[in-house]
Amino acid sequence: MVLNIDRRSLVLGAGLGLGALGLSAGRGLAAEVLGATGFTHNVASGEPGPDAMLLWTRYVPAARDDTVRLEVELALDSSFAKVVAGGVVRTGAYRDWTVKITVDGLRPGTVYWYRFIAPDGSRSPAGRTKTLPVGEVARFGLGVFSCSNLPVGLFNAYGHAAARPDLDLWLHTGDYIYEYGPASIHEGDWAVGRSLQPANEILTIADYRLRYACYRADPELQRLHQAAPMVAFWDDHESANDSWEGGAQNHQPAAEGDWNARRAAAMQVYREWMPVSDEPWKTYPIGALATLYRTESRLLGRTRPADIGAAFKAEDPDAALKAFRDGPWRDPSATMLGSTQESWLAHQLKTNARSSAWQMVGMGTILGRTVMPRDAVDWLRPEVSERKVAGYKNNIRAARLGLPMWMDRWDGYPAARSRLLQAAQAADADLVMLSGDSHNAWAYGLIEDGRPAGVEFAGHSVTSSGAEGDFGADPRRVAEGFMAANPELKWADTSQRGYMMIEVTPQRLTGEWLFLRTIKVRDTSLAGSHRMHVERGRKVFAA
């Protein structure tokens, strides 16, 4: 059976181990989870190529003391009248009964239907996928998502996108799950009918597996994966908030154990439950039209963010901030990607800019420069805590000296940011950054050495709360204030949820931010949208 979350209950896959099932909903739910067998979480596809596709499912046999062997079939029609490709794959409890197989020998730019067959003859739901095109390509559609906090809202963005006929591929730029426990969500922010397991912050392999099982049981997310392939990479919440190679803001070793063990668990389970390969970064050629890049900027090469906090507590904060700005903040050894990936990306841009029109780089966090506007305190709601108000005042003080408001994103690594943009300029690439993380929608014209280096479409969240949680002012006033304070910022929306749609043609790339009417009830209707585009060779947004 394929399990899903509805408004009345949470139903999860089995095979997680009794120790993982400390479920607050009681013994009845635990028994239902432990008793689930068969194809528990639908199907998914990813890592598309012109002639290959990775296919995913999860199958729990009735007897769980052994491995199980599954077959996969691909056909050109949904009735599977003629199977044209396939393979066999093995799984077991050692990988939480998840299944991944890459099938080769496919045709480029072709829609395939696929399904898995169990030893008892039962079949998974059928999924639809599409290989990447080759040669000249007239159009390509890409749906971009980020930041899906399950307890705070329904995944209406996923449902809306899954119903569209004009998108070829999904890109998820991270925060596919959140590691927090239920206690981190304010009671008034919970969406009706949503539940979260396990009922604690996730730390172990068993915890991460149960959390993915919870998310992947959502029917809208299942439909999204069933409709098209996904290119996905983690950001921080797939491990812990504000993570880097050696730790995380939301990891306290004294209480939560060794970071390396937690990081390894997070990485292992992500690779079990997601339709991804184990390659840390990768390119996806879309014929002569574009190249899409999957990057890794959290757990493998990122150095610890520079700590600006001590400067605010100094006897002379302005002097301390200047010293921080001219020293630790500009340190060229600070890196988001690590030197190996930086070199790889620079070489790939140089090579692929000659053979494909657009270079689309998927990134977990935003590159665009952003400082806090000086009147931001005036926008705050009356109920915002004194501690938060003090944080905004500190950010405004730092902004006067050119320092950004977020050290955890590319703004906090200015030398590394310059290296990336200089590599794009040296390649004469039509660079398009596709990023997430901030929960709000932004469009940046990226500048390096006084020259345009490309544009950035930064996506808003599927459900996670944005700046509107603190700002009570009219969102238009907030957006105008941010744009006035930040020359690279060309447009913003700080109040709505949804996803981005990117339409790529040989001479124009268009981005559209789609805003859902609500995330508190199941409703995939739109409240509105905003479109911007860039022309080939211009490297700036069209007026």
Side-chain angles (χ1 to χ4, degrees), residues 137-140 289 357-358 503-510 536:
V137 180
R139 180 197 177 276
F140 193 85
L289 181 64
W358 301 96
E503 182 179 62
V504 191
T505 64
Q507 295 302 321
R508 173 180 290 193
L509 188 146
T510 303
R536 175 89 186 275

Side-chain angles (χ1 to χ4, degrees), residues 240-477:
N241 183 58
D242 288 358
S243 52
W244 57 285
E245 184 182 13
Q249 177 275 329
N250 190 33
H251 183 79
Q252 292 71 47
E256 297 171 335
D258 179 51
W259 166 249
N260 289 319
R262 183 178 186 180
R263 181 180 69 154
M267 291 169 61
Q268 174 181 328
V269 176
Y270 184 87
R271 288 168 172 164
E272 289 173 350
W273 275 85
M274 296 294 289
V276 298
S277 70
D278 291 349
E279 299 161 280
W281 44 81
K282 191 173 181 178
T283 60
Y284 305 87
I286 307 170
L289 181 64
T291 304
L292 175 66
Y293 300 83
R294 170 166 61 81
T295 62
E296 196 290 319
S297 59
R298 276 291 172 189
L299 302 179
L300 302 181
R302 178 195 278 247
T303 55
R304 188 171 192 166
D307 182 11
I308 195 175
F312 295 124
K313 301 174 184 177
E315 183 175 347
D316 185 346
D318 287 338
L321 286 169
K322 289 178 182 177
F324 172 82
R325 180 195 62 193
D326 298 335
W329 182 58
R330 298 185 188 275
D331 186 349
S333 72
T335 175
M336 293 277 278
L337 304 178
S339 59
T340 300
Q341 189 182 182
E342 281 191 20
S343 176
W344 167 83
L345 184 55
H347 281 87
Q348 289 290 319
L349 289 171
K350 183 177 180 180
T351 298
N352 296 324
R354 301 189 190 110
S355 58
S356 59
W358 301 96
Q359 307 305 305
M360 302 188 298
V361 180
M363 193 65 67
T365 54
I366 294 173
L367 261 79
R369 288 196 173 106
T370 319
V371 302
M372 186 67 73
R374 66 179 58 191
D375 52 348
V377 171
D378 298 335
W379 308 336
L380 294 174
R381 298 178 185 276
E383 63 269 23
V384 169
S385 69
E386 291 184 9
R387 182 179 177 183
K388 271 196 173 184
V389 172
Y392 278 96
K393 289 180 178 179
N394 284 339
N395 281 328
I396 293 169
R397 187 170 202 158
R400 296 192 188 105
L401 297 172
L403 286 164
M405 54 193 255
W406 290 303
M407 287 294 163
D408 181 61
R409 60 189 226 181
W410 281 88
D411 258 351
Y413 300 74
R417 178 190 188 271
S418 290
R419 292 193 295 267
L420 190 159
L421 295 179
Q422 286 168 2
Q425 289 174 330
D428 195 24
D430 280 276
L431 178 69
V432 178
M433 300 300 304
L434 303 173
S435 57
D437 184 63
S438 77
H439 305 178
N440 294 123
W442 317 83
Y444 294 89
L446 303 171
I447 302 295
E448 178 61 29
D449 292 332
R451 297 182 294 120
V455 300
E456 181 169 32
F457 294 89
H460 46 322
S461 64
V462 171
T463 61
S464 300
S465 300
E468 74 280 1
D470 289 342
F471 294 148
D474 186 325
R476 289 172 294 185
R477 178 187 172 194

